[in-house]
């Protein structure tokens, strides 16, 4: 009984031991499998973070280079080159210099942008829109990139584009270069493949047992391979046995493909070791504990690495957040600069450049829709006087108030821009008819009937308006602006404060003016101008006592050109000084010659433009007197009233100097301008000349007689001699003599004649 009990107990003990050992091995197997599973999960998580980190590094690398290329494409040198190219400059005048400066900037970008002393860019190319190379910093190797696919790119975007070359794949950055809102060329940057690879290989080591490729649309770029001892020769089966990650590189067309060798599997104990395990129970227990400890240790190391990777990821996230913040600030700054570049700082309106761009857009729209469009030039009359008399601050206030008035009648579809100092451009699309345009112009004139008030001072400003209609007055922006400007200046010539539509006759007038400008220069050069002389008569003795020198021009093409026309032209183009010098010298020489007949007084008219250069004018008068030998007292200088209204201290000094020399001073065309007694008292005049317009209806118009009587009485009170222009009949002679007018001239005595004919008049008289 005891034996069977012992056997039974032994069997139970052995069975219990075996069961315990089986359970123990099962527990060890379970724990081992769980440990290996956790180890694999930790490895995959760590490697996934590592590959994402690699992708972030490349994203930042491409983003930084996008900014470099964008900055230089929008830089001053690039814009200056295409501006010179668009304006038609040659290589000798401006274009070559801007091209050299641009090439220096591209070479400087290559030399400055380096990572670990390696240049980021292998080669920079600038092409025109068709792909022809303008600047190439490389070794002039063939350029095979097809640019037509980039023609539809937005001007603010940049393309990362891979291309094939003999030794592999070339990564390019392609940036459209824009000028005046249009793509005019492309800036192409060929990146250094070694720098890209170094961005990733600097974070890896040879025993990592991994492979990384940069995947592009035309093939992979090899980064590294430490899986196989024979680089580039890892088979597809070997790669399929490894962990694989495919991560998109943000903002690029590339993917980062990575393979990693997983942790080695541990063999489980086989059945033949089962009995041995039972015999050495303590050994497997210790080994099991050690094994579990090793797994925990490995997991601890992995957790530490994961935590470090998370910390680095957080730092990278913080840096990226700051970078995004800086990018947003830069975008806001760029938007502000873009607004300032296209709008006027004072009025907030579109500036001249933006106004031209809007006009071109509206022309294109009108062409597509087969509609009309109105271009209105608005110029403030006599705005310069506001600045000169009230100051520029008041002038600026007038411009702001004018802007508000014009905006009040402009529709949302209209475009109002400040085109110049006191000029505005209003673009009205979808014009129904010219009647609508006339109504708009009348509304603008009505706006400026209201007074302007500044510092409790009220004043008025009128406007001159010129209008051109698309397509009848021009098919492009340049023609429309030129024709509207021509119509506006026609309003100026007709007296201001009105509007005109452009018509072909205006263009003929402009063409005539241009031709006359050229022919006047030739006439001066060829000495085709001559002086005529009209006698000035002593009304009491009916004898010649002087002459007025009048310039005449008989052109071979246009015939007789009126003095009023070519004198005004000479005042605008600067030829008036040459005409004035010729007139005073020729008149003085003739007057000196005629002194043998009588002490003749020679009257010479001077333009107000000449008086602006009073030192030059004084030099010309002194030279004429010296060369001719004419006594200064025999020279009479005639001055128009307009000069007296707008004069400087230098003009007053010049007149005082001429009087001290003995020259006579006459105020010409008195009564037609800003007549005032203050002028006659302030300036040292000797004579006053009544304009012919007051004499034409003197016999029939009592008002004109009263006005002439008042002028004569005023002159007498100031001890001024009087000369009457435009005497045409004996009645005028008798009346003026009765009113004690001393001198007169007109067709009743003689029209202006040549020097030879005038000399004959003198001989006949004496």
């Amino acid at each position: 009984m005891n034996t069977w009990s012992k056997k039974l107990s032994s069997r139970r003990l052995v069975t219990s031991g075996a069961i315990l050992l089986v359970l123990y091995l099962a527990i060890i197997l379970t724990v081992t499998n769980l440990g290996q599973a956790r180890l694999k999960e930790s490895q995959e998580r760590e490697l996934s973070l590592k590959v994402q980190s690699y992708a972030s590094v490349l994203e930042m690398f491409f983003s930084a280079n996008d900014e470099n290329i964008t900055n230089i494409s929008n830089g001053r040198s690039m814009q200056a080159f295409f501006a010179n190219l668009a304006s038609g400059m040659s290589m000798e005048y401006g274009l070559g210099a801007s091209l050299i400066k641009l090439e220096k900037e591209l070479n400087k970008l290559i030399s400055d942008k380096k990572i670990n002393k390696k240049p980021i860019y292998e080669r920079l190319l600038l092409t025109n829109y068709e792909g022809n190379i303008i600047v190439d910093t490389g070794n002039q190797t063939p350029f095979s990139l097809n640019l037509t696919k980039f023609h539809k790119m937005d001007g603010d975007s940049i393309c990362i584009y891979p291309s094939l070359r003999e030794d592999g794949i070339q990564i390019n950055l392609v940036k459209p270069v824009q000028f005046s809102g249009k793509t005019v060329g492309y800036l192409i940057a060929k990146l250094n493949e070694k720098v890209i690879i170094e961005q990733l290989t600097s974070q890896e080591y040879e025993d990592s047992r991994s492979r990384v490729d940069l995947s592009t649309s035309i093939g992979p770029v090899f980064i590294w391979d430490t899986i196989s001892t024979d680089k580039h020769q890892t088979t597809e089966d070997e790669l399929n046995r490894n962990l694989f990650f495919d991560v998109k590189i943000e903002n690029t067309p590339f993917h980062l493909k990575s393979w990693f060798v997983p942790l080695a599997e541990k063999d489980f104990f086989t059945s033949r070791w089962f009995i041995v395990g039972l015999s050495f129970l303590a050994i497997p227990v210790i080994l099991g504990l050690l094994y579990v400890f090793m797994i925990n240790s490995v997991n601890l190391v992995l957790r530490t690495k994961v935590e470090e990777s998370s910390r680095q990821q957080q730092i990278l996230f913080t840096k990226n957040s700051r970078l995004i913040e800086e990018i947003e600030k830069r975008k806001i700054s760029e938007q502000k600069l873009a607004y300032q570049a296209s709008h006027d700082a004072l009025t907030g309106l579109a500036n001249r450049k933006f106004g031209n761009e809007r006009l071109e857009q509206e022309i294109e729209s009108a062409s597509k829709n087969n509609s009309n469009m109105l271009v209105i030039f608005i110029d403030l009359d006599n705005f310069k006087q506001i600045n000169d008399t009230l100051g520029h601050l008041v002038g600026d206030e007038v411009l702001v108030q004018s802007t508000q008035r014009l905006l009040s009648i402009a529709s949302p579809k209209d475009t109002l821009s400040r085109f110049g100092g006191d000029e505005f451009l209003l673009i009205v699309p979808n014009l129904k008819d010219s009647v609508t345009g006339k109504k708009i112009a009348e509304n603008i004139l009505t706006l400026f009937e209201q007074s302007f008030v500044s510092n409790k001072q009220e004043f008025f400003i009128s406007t001159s308006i010129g209008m051109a209609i698309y397509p009848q007055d021009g098919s492009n922006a340049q023609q429309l602006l030129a024709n509207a400007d021509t119509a506006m200046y026609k309003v100026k010539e007709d007296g201001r404060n009105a509007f005109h539509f452009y018509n072909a006759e205006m263009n003929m007038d402009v063409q005539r003016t241009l031709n006359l400008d050229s022919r006047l220069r030739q006439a001066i050069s060829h000495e085709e101008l001559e002086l005529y002389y009209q006698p000035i008569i002593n009304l009491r003795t009916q004898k010649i006592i002087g002459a007025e020198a009048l310039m005449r021009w008989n052109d071979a093409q246009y015939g007789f050109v009126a003095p009023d026309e070519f004198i005004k032209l000479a005042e605008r183009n600067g030829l008036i000084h040459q005409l004035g010098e010729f007139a005073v010298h020729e008149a003085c020489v003739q007057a000196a010659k005629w002194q043998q007949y009588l002490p003749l007084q020679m009257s010479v008219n001077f333009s107000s433009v000449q008086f602006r250069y009073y030192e030059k004018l004084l030099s010309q008068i002194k030279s004429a007197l010296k060369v001719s030998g004419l006594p200064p007292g025999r020279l009479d200088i005639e001055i128009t009233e307009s000069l007296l209204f707008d004069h400087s201290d230098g003009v007053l000094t010049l007149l005082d100097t001429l009087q001290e020399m003995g020259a006579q001073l006459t105020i010409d065309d008195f009564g037609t301008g800003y007549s005032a007694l203050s002028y006659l008292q302030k300036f040292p005049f000797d004579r006053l000349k009544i304009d012919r317009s007051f004499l034409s209806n003197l016999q029939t118009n009592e008002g004109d007689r009263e006005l002439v009587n008042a002028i004569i009485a005023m002159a007498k009170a100031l001890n001024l001699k009087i000369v009457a222009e435009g005497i045409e009949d004996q009645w005028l002679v008798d009346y003026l003599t009765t009113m004690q007018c001393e001198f007169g001239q007109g067709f009743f005595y003689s029209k202006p004649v040549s020097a030879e004919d005038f000399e004959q008049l003198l001989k006949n008289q004496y």
Side-chain angles (χ1 to χ4, degrees):
M1 185 67 181
N2 290 335
T3 303
W4 286 101
S5 297
K6 291 179 179 180
K7 290 181 179 180
L8 183 59
S9 298
S10 298
R11 288 179 179 177
R12 288 179 177 177
L13 185 60
V14 172
T15 302
S16 298
I19 292 172
L20 290 173
L21 187 57
V22 169
L23 291 174
Y24 175 70
L25 293 175
I27 291 171
I28 289 177
L29 181 62
T30 302
V31 171
T32 301
N33 286 334
L34 289 174
Q36 289 180 341
R38 291 181 63 189
L39 192 62
K40 288 181 178 180
E41 291 175 0
S42 297
Q43 183 194 26
E44 291 182 6
R45 188 160 53 249
E46 177 192 11
L47 295 177
S48 176
L49 290 174
K50 180 183 290 188
V51 176
Q52 291 177 3
S53 176
Y54 294 160
S56 297
V57 169
L58 287 181
E59 179 189 359
M60 293 181 65
F61 173 80
F62 284 116
S63 177
N65 284 288
D66 289 357
E67 184 177 357
N68 292 337
I69 298 305
T70 299
N71 288 341
I72 199 167
S73 68
N74 295 333
R76 290 183 178 179
S77 296
M78 185 72 72
Q79 294 298 308
F81 170 74
F82 281 104
N84 291 340
L85 184 63
S87 66
M89 280 190 179
S90 65
M91 292 297 291
E92 291 82 5
Y93 296 98
L95 185 60
S98 59
L99 180 61
I100 292 173
K101 184 176 181 182
L102 179 58
E103 186 172 5
K104 286 182 178 179
E105 282 199 13
L106 295 179
N107 284 314
K108 188 175 184 297
L109 180 65
I110 293 178
S111 61
D112 289 349
K113 300 300 180 180
K114 295 181 179 180
I115 297 179
N116 295 332
K117 299 182 179 180
K118 292 185 177 66
I120 296 176
Y121 307 105
E122 286 184 354
R123 183 179 181 187
L124 292 173
L125 300 100
L126 175 66
T127 75
N128 60 16
Y129 188 77
E130 291 78 17
N132 299 319
I133 296 176
I134 299 173
V135 178
D136 186 356
T137 63
N139 54 8
Q140 304 300 324
T141 56
F143 170 71
S144 59
L145 190 60
N146 183 7
L147 296 177
T148 56
K149 64 183 71 177
F150 305 111
H151 286 351
K152 295 183 178 180
M153 283 179 62
D154 186 350
D156 295 330
S157 62
I158 190 167
C159 180
I160 303 174
Y161 183 80
S163 62
L164 291 174
R165 63 182 185 187
E166 294 180 0
D167 56 347
I169 295 175
Q170 172 73 60
I171 297 178
N172 309 284
L173 300 181
V174 181
K175 169 68 179 178
V177 178
Q178 292 211 324
F179 176 74
S180 297
K182 297 181 180 179
T183 300
V184 293
Y186 296 92
L187 182 59
I188 304 167
K190 295 185 176 292
L191 298 179
N192 188 347
E193 179 185 356
K194 295 179 181 178
V195 174
I196 298 174
I197 294 174
E198 190 175 70
Q199 294 295 297
L200 302 178
T201 55
S202 61
Q203 307 177 52
E204 199 55 36
Y205 52 91
E206 292 184 359
D207 297 330
S208 62
R209 304 293 305 282
S210 61
R211 173 171 176 158
V212 176
D213 288 344
L214 180 65
S215 178
T216 72
S217 60
I218 61 175
V221 177
F222 175 78
I223 305 299
W224 76 70
D225 186 358
T226 57
I227 295 177
S228 173
T229 56
D230 186 8
K231 293 184 179 181
H232 301 278
Q233 297 300 320
T234 306
T235 64
E236 186 174 351
D237 290 336
E238 289 177 330
L239 291 177
N240 292 336
R241 291 197 296 269
N242 299 312
L243 298 176
F244 173 70
F245 299 92
D246 188 350
V247 177
K248 174 75 169 63
I249 301 174
E250 296 297 327
N251 302 319
T252 74
F254 305 143
H255 289 253
L256 203 61
K257 293 187 177 181
S258 306
W259 294 266
F260 295 88
V261 176
L263 295 175
E265 298 282 346
K266 301 296 182 181
D267 293 331
F268 296 111
F269 293 118
T270 60
S271 58
R272 67 176 179 272
W273 293 103
F274 186 77
I275 299 175
V276 177
L278 291 176
S279 303
F280 301 95
L281 187 59
I283 295 175
V285 170
I286 295 172
L287 293 176
L289 291 173
L290 291 174
Y291 186 77
V292 172
F293 179 76
M294 289 173 61
I295 291 177
N296 286 334
S297 296
V298 172
N299 284 338
L300 179 61
V301 172
L302 286 175
R303 283 197 299 273
T304 302
K305 290 183 177 181
V306 170
E307 290 174 357
E308 179 64 20
S309 178
S310 299
R311 186 181 69 82
Q312 293 178 355
Q313 191 71 16
Q314 184 62 35
I315 293 173
L316 182 62
F317 175 77
T318 302
K319 291 182 178 179
N320 287 340
S321 298
R322 292 177 181 173
L323 180 61
I324 291 173
E325 183 178 352
E326 289 298 322
I327 291 174
E328 290 299 324
K329 289 181 179 178
R330 180 171 294 181
K331 287 182 178 179
I332 294 173
S333 176
E334 290 175 351
Q335 290 173 355
K336 183 178 180 180
L337 290 174
Y339 178 84
Q340 292 174 347
S342 60
H343 287 76
D344 175 53
L346 176 63
T347 62
L349 297 176
N351 59 18
R352 185 187 191 98
K353 176 177 178 296
F354 189 60
N356 276 323
E357 293 175 356
R358 286 290 302 157
L359 179 58
E360 290 179 353
Q361 293 171 6
E362 292 296 347
I363 289 174
E364 183 177 356
S365 176
S367 176
K368 291 180 180 178
N369 300 329
N370 195 24
S371 60
N372 294 331
M373 179 186 64
L374 178 64
V375 175
I376 306 177
F377 247 142
I378 305 166
D379 183 84
L380 304 184
D381 296 330
N382 300 319
F383 181 74
K384 182 179 182 298
Q385 295 180 11
I386 298 295
N387 280 334
D388 293 343
T389 57
L390 301 179
H392 288 277
L393 290 179
V394 176
D396 290 346
E397 187 176 346
V398 168
L399 290 173
V400 172
Q401 291 185 31
S402 299
T403 298
Q404 294 170 352
R405 295 184 184 186
L406 292 172
L407 287 174
S408 67
I409 65 166
S411 71
K413 294 182 180 180
D414 298 344
T415 300
L416 179 65
S417 65
R418 184 184 176 192
F419 217 65
D422 60 346
E423 290 183 341
F424 297 88
L425 175 67
L426 181 61
I427 304 171
V428 182
N430 299 319
L431 180 70
K432 294 181 180 179
D433 48 39
S434 59
V435 176
T436 304
K438 179 181 178 182
K439 185 176 181 181
I440 294 173
E442 290 173 345
N443 290 339
I444 294 174
L445 293 175
T446 302
L447 288 176
F448 286 87
E449 292 177 356
Q450 307 171 28
S451 65
F452 290 84
V453 179
S454 178
N455 296 327
K456 298 182 180 180
Q457 182 175 359
E458 185 180 36
F459 52 91
F460 293 84
I461 294 180
S462 61
T463 60
S464 297
I465 303 171
M467 295 182 287
I469 300 175
Y470 173 88
Q472 67 189 51
D473 296 332
S475 60
N476 56 53
Q478 183 177 1
Q479 290 178 343
L480 288 172
L481 292 175
N483 291 339
D485 190 54
T486 299
M488 185 266 290
Y489 274 102
K490 178 63 175 174
V491 176
K492 294 280 188 185
E493 292 177 1
D494 292 346
R496 301 182 172 89
N497 193 27
F499 65 87
H500 267 316
F501 284 96
Y502 171 79
N503 59 57
E505 292 182 0
M506 294 180 183
N507 200 32
M508 292 174 62
D509 292 340
V510 171
Q511 188 61 46
R512 173 183 169 87
T513 301
L514 292 174
N515 291 340
L516 282 178
D517 182 282
S518 175
R519 298 193 66 80
L520 180 58
R521 295 175 189 275
Q522 295 177 12
I524 294 174
S525 176
H526 298 157
E527 299 181 355
E528 295 176 359
L529 296 166
E530 59 180 327
L531 287 184
Y532 272 47
Y533 303 90
Q534 186 173 34
I536 298 176
I537 307 298
N538 185 319
L539 296 181
R540 184 177 58 83
T541 65
Q542 295 294 298
K543 298 293 185 181
I544 298 173
I545 55 91
E548 180 180 4
L550 301 169
M551 191 168 294
R552 293 293 182 262
W553 178 24
N554 193 9
D555 182 66
Q557 178 178 344
Y558 290 99
F560 178 76
V561 182
D564 288 346
E565 183 176 11
F566 72 80
I567 293 296
K568 289 181 180 179
L569 179 61
E571 288 177 338
R572 290 198 298 268
N573 62 20
L575 296 176
I576 190 64
H577 302 291
Q578 297 181 49
L579 292 182
E581 184 175 13
F582 163 74
V584 70
H585 276 79
E586 183 70 15
C588 287
V589 169
Q590 288 294 344
K593 178 181 177 182
W594 293 332
Q595 295 301 311
Q596 60 180 310
Y597 300 108
L598 78 160
L600 184 77
Q601 195 85 13
M602 180 60 71
S603 297
V604 180
N605 292 283
F606 288 91
S607 167
S608 59
V609 176
Q610 292 175 267
F611 275 90
R612 295 175 192 167
Y613 304 87
Y614 44 85
E615 293 181 353
K616 182 177 182 179
L617 178 58
L618 179 60
S619 176
Q620 290 177 353
I621 294 173
K622 288 182 176 180
S623 175
L625 292 173
K626 181 179 180 180
V627 171
S628 65
L630 181 71
R634 296 304 173 191
L635 176 62
D636 179 26
I637 298 173
E638 296 192 0
I639 304 166
T640 59
E641 280 189 295
S642 60
L643 173 66
L644 308 183
F645 179 75
D646 184 14
H647 70 276
S648 64
D649 292 338
V651 172
L652 186 58
T653 301
L654 171 62
L655 296 179
D656 289 335
T657 302
L658 291 172
Q659 188 184 50
E660 292 172 1
M661 290 169 51
Q664 301 294 300
L665 299 178
T666 298
I667 179 170
D668 190 21
D669 299 333
F670 187 81
T672 60
Y674 304 92
S675 302
L677 282 173
S678 61
Y679 298 150
L680 302 179
Q681 293 173 329
K682 183 176 181 180
F683 291 91
F685 293 117
D686 299 289
R687 295 198 295 187
L688 181 151
K689 182 174 283 190
I690 302 174
D691 187 69
R692 69 183 67 250
S693 61
F694 296 112
L695 302 184
S696 59
N697 298 317
L698 194 64
Q699 186 173 0
T700 58
N701 191 311
E702 184 177 354
D704 285 353
R705 287 198 299 273
E706 294 296 333
L707 182 58
V708 170
N709 294 342
I711 293 174
I712 294 174
M714 179 177 59
K716 291 297 181 181
L718 295 172
N719 294 320
L720 299 178
K721 299 295 182 180
I722 306 168
V723 181
E725 288 184 305
I727 297 177
E728 307 293 340
D729 53 43
Q730 185 63 46
W731 186 92
L732 285 174
V733 175
D734 296 338
Y735 182 82
L736 292 171
T737 303
T738 303
M739 297 304 299
Q740 298 182 355
C741 175
E742 289 87 356
F743 309 111
Q745 64 185 100
F747 282 10
F748 180 74
Y749 296 109
S750 173
K751 64 180 180 179
V753 295
S754 66
E756 293 79 5
D757 292 341
F758 186 85
E759 186 170 342
Q760 188 61 45
L761 290 176
L762 292 177
K763 291 178 180 179
N764 294 339
Q765 177 174 296
Y766 298 96

